[in-house]
């Protein structure tokens, strides 16, 4: 079993400017987090319990980390969605950390993987909001 945690964030100054490459002041919110737990599983490659929208992101995190056995992923989060507190990033970070830990190797700053996963999750969320 492995576990990954990603914390929420609050941008104190520069909220909208950071989207255009400017500097911002942000703080982590350790009491507000997303946790992903992976356990070995017989059967399908990945079975997600918790947030159903997270399945494609979790599958990609496992693929990027080299996890090649079936796993069950449990996702729990206290980071509110669509509130600017970094719920997408928290899930992406937790997924990458859990997948790398599952493989049994230390995390080596997988920033490019986290960015790819966050972009994927943002797209999924946008598509779901458009359906409403």
């Amino acid at each position: 079993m492995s576990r990954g945690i990603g914390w929420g964030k609050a941008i104190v100054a520069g909220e909208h400017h950071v989207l255009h490459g400017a500097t911002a002041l942000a703080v982590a919110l350790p009491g507000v987090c997303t946790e992903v737990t992976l356990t070995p599983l017989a059967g399908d490659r990945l079975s997600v319990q918790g947030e159903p929208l997270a399945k494609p992101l979790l599958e990609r995190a496992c693929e990027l980390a080299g996890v090649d056995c079936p796993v069950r992923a449990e996702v729990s989060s206290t980071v509110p969605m669509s509130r600017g507190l970094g719920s997408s990033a928290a899930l992406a970070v937790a997924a990458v950390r859990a997948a790398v830990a599952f493989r049994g190797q230390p995390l080596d700053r997988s920033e490019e993987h986290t960015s790819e996963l966050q972009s994927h999750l943002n797209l999924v969320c946008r598509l779901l909001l458009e359906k409403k």
Side-chain angles (χ1 to χ4, degrees):
M1 180 172 80
S2 66
R3 185 174 80 139
I5 295 177
W7 289 276
K9 56 86 181 150
I11 297 180
V12 179
E15 177 76 34
H16 298 288
H17 301 290
V18 73
L19 299 174
H20 304 288
T23 303
L25 175 61
V27 294
L29 302 172
V32 181
C33 67
T34 297
E35 183 175 335
V36 173
T37 305
L38 299 177
T39 52
L41 181 70
D44 293 331
R45 167 111 168 82
L46 187 65
S47 171
V48 177
Q49 296 178 353
E51 304 293 331
L53 297 177
K55 185 173 180 176
L57 183 135
L58 291 162
E59 287 173 338
R60 186 69 178 132
C62 287
E63 184 180 311
L64 289 169
V67 174
D68 58 359
C69 65
V71 295
R72 180 181 73 215
E74 294 182 38
V75 179
S76 63
S77 183
T78 58
V79 184
M81 291 176 60
S82 302
R83 301 288 194 283
L85 296 177
S87 60
S88 297
L91 177 58
V93 168
V96 169
R97 285 180 171 164
V100 171
F102 187 86
R103 199 181 62 184
Q105 300 199 355
L107 182 63
D108 78 358
R109 298 294 172 210
S110 299
E111 294 162 357
E112 66 280 357
H113 298 331
T114 302
S115 295
E116 176 188 340
L117 293 170
Q118 185 178 350
S119 296
H120 179 75
L121 185 61
N122 287 341
L123 175 61
V124 169
C125 291
R126 254 194 328 272
L127 291 172
L128 287 171
L129 289 173
E130 287 174 4
K131 288 183 179 181
K132 290 185 176 183

